[in-house]
Amino acid sequence: MKYNIDDIDIYVMTHNRAGYVKQSIDSLLNQSAGIRKITVLDNESTDETKSVVESFSSRGIKYIKTEGFLGNFRKAQELASRKYVMLFHDDDILHPKYLEMALQVLNEKENISLITTRYTEFFDDNLPPIPDEVSSDYYFFKKQKDFATHMYFLERIAYATALYRTSDFRKTPIEYEKFNKFNDWPFMVKISRYGNTVLFNDPSLFYIRRHKGQDTWTSTNTPSLQQIINWDKFFYNKVGAWNLFSKVHYVFACWFTHFLFGKYDAFLSPQDKESCSKVELLRMAKKSGIKTWGSSVYCKYRCHNKNACKRQGFIRRLALKGKIRTT
């Protein structure tokens, strides 16, 4: 079967981003693949988002208002009907060739459940120059475990550019209650169990905007201690961290932002930090079934030697060993 752009449902999920959503929509309309329809799912915006979106109506942009918690995500699961679906964010920028490259992979490989990419961050309106040419190199993961391992130890994988096979997307729960606002990576890993996963390697394919008030970096809506542990345990199980080789990864990488201690440092509320030390968090993690962490003494040692323990290059070499890279 040959896929084309009309086989992809494209949704933009938005909430009170009138100042950014136009630029994001433009980056989709500028795709070399030639998008003819985009649906913007606006979850209860109170600013000028609706009027901004409706200014694109003559270019195939449809506006739908959604309501309730995760209303736009749930509406996308309800509406998606084409072979694949992409949920784009209202403040990010996509390289013009991304969807063309994704379609090329869909037509070269079989049984693709997920396509996504690495990314570049920028702040506020400081978008770096977007190169005309990008690499088409990608990693091809046949097993969920390999994809989870790559995500867990190397990071920099985008959620907003992910193309999901619609049949898999519609049957996969988001589990916000279990993981809080960091439910995106577990969601992608769950999708990867149904087929092969493609990860483009060029970070110039996608630009994630960081800005004031962004939910990811606010001190409100912070994950609980148990939700942080749930997140770590999910990946602990998927990568098989009880295995000796994976245990080496796990121990060296535990300070990265997306790990147990990293989430404690970066995202836990001050109140929770006062009531629970890292040593206590370690005990809670062990009690929840995470068995590869060291003793309390080891935990304290790492707190005083944080920089010396960040062996990122070493971790990268180990995590990439044996992976299939295809051009």
Side-chain angles (χ1 to χ4, degrees):
M1 177 180 181
K2 287 294 183 180
Y3 295 98
N4 59 53
I5 194 63
D6 292 327
D7 291 312
I8 304 174
D9 274 315
I10 299 174
Y11 297 101
V12 177
M13 299 193 298
T14 187
H15 173 71
N16 284 343
R17 293 280 169 75
Y20 295 130
V21 71
K22 180 184 184 298
Q23 194 174 11
S24 297
I25 292 174
D26 278 333
S27 77
L28 291 171
L29 291 174
N30 289 334
Q31 289 295 298
S32 58
I35 297 174
R36 286 181 281 272
K37 178 184 176 183
I38 299 170
T39 302
V40 177
L41 302 175
D42 180 7
N43 203 45
E44 302 183 358
S45 288
T46 56
D47 62 2
E48 300 302 314
T49 294
K50 182 179 180 181
S51 61
V52 172
V53 173
E54 289 183 338
S55 70
F56 288 94
S57 60
S58 62
R59 302 180 66 185
I61 309 300
K62 182 179 180 180
Y63 175 89
I64 295 178
K65 182 179 180 179
T66 64
E67 297 179 347
F69 185 63
L70 297 177
N72 43 17
F73 179 90
R74 300 188 194 284
K75 179 60 71 171
Q77 284 192 313
E78 173 191 330
L79 295 177
S81 60
R82 300 182 181 185
K83 299 296 183 181
Y84 284 83
V85 57
M86 180 171 77
L87 306 186
F88 200 65
H89 288 181
D90 55 5
D91 51 1
D92 300 326
I93 307 297
L94 193 61
H95 190 281
K97 292 187 177 179
Y98 177 75
L99 286 174
E100 176 187 339
M101 291 168 54
L103 284 167
Q104 182 177 350
V105 174
L106 284 176
N107 288 320
E108 290 175 353
K109 300 291 186 179
E110 296 182 352
N111 191 29
I112 301 295
S113 61
L114 171 66
I115 297 177
T116 188
T117 183
R118 298 177 71 239
Y119 62 85
T120 296
E121 292 185 357
F122 70 101
F123 294 87
D124 297 322
D125 295 321
N126 298 314
L127 178 67
I130 299 177
D132 293 332
E133 299 300 323
V134 285
S135 170
S136 60
D137 290 355
Y138 60 84
Y139 298 98
F140 189 74
F141 301 98
K142 295 183 178 180
K143 296 180 179 179
Q144 181 189 47
K145 177 182 176 180
D146 290 341
F147 179 57
T149 300
H150 192 104
M151 289 189 75
Y152 196 44
F153 297 113
L154 300 183
E155 198 182 2
R156 302 191 70 77
I157 292 179
Y159 175 58
T161 58
L163 268 71
Y164 308 102
R165 186 163 52 194
T166 299
S167 58
D168 303 329
F169 171 72
R170 294 190 63 165
K171 66 185 178 185
T172 303
I174 194 71
E175 293 192 291
Y176 189 96
E177 295 78 8
K178 187 173 183 178
F179 301 114
N180 201 279
K181 57 189 176 185
F182 300 106
N183 56 74
D184 47 0
W185 282 19
F187 184 80
M188 286 193 287
V189 170
K190 285 184 287 185
I191 292 283
S192 72
R193 67 176 289 194
Y194 298 114
N196 300 317
T197 298
V198 170
L199 169 65
F200 286 111
N201 187 51
D202 194 330
S204 296
L205 281 169
F206 182 51
Y207 295 83
I208 289 182
R209 190 192 307 263
R210 303 301 187 197
H211 54 88
K212 185 179 180 180
Q214 202 166 23
D215 182 60
T216 303
W217 306 105
T218 60
S219 58
T220 60
N221 192 30
T222 57
S224 67
L225 289 163
Q226 189 58 56
Q227 287 169 330
I228 288 175
I229 291 171
N230 290 343
W231 196 97
D232 223 61
K233 186 177 178 181
F234 174 86
F235 279 93
Y236 173 91
N237 289 331
K238 296 303 180 185
V239 306
W242 54 85
N243 175 277
L244 180 61
F245 186 65
S246 293
K247 182 177 180 179
V248 174
H249 292 175
Y250 201 77
V251 169
F252 272 100
C254 71
W255 275 105
F256 292 0
T257 302
H258 54 294
F259 283 77
L260 188 69
F261 289 165
K263 274 187 163 44
Y264 179 99
D265 288 335
F267 302 110
L268 199 65
S269 69
Q271 295 82 3
D272 283 339
K273 286 180 181 178
E274 288 181 6
S275 64
C276 180
S277 66
K278 289 181 181 176
V279 174
E280 180 59 30
L281 179 62
L282 185 64
R283 293 195 189 102
M284 291 175 63
K286 285 184 175 181
K287 190 174 181 180
S288 294
I290 298 176
K291 301 297 184 183
T292 62
W293 291 90
S295 65
S296 297
V297 173
Y298 178 70
C299 175
K300 291 179 180 179
Y301 169 81
R302 292 185 65 81
C303 288
H304 289 92
N305 295 274
K306 182 174 180 179
N307 292 332
C309 293
K310 282 191 172 181
R311 309 290 176 84
Q312 293 178 324
F314 174 68
I315 292 297
R316 185 174 182 83
R317 289 193 297 272
L318 288 180
L320 288 178
K321 186 176 181 180
K323 297 296 181 295
I324 301 172
R325 184 171 182 172
T326 310
T327 56

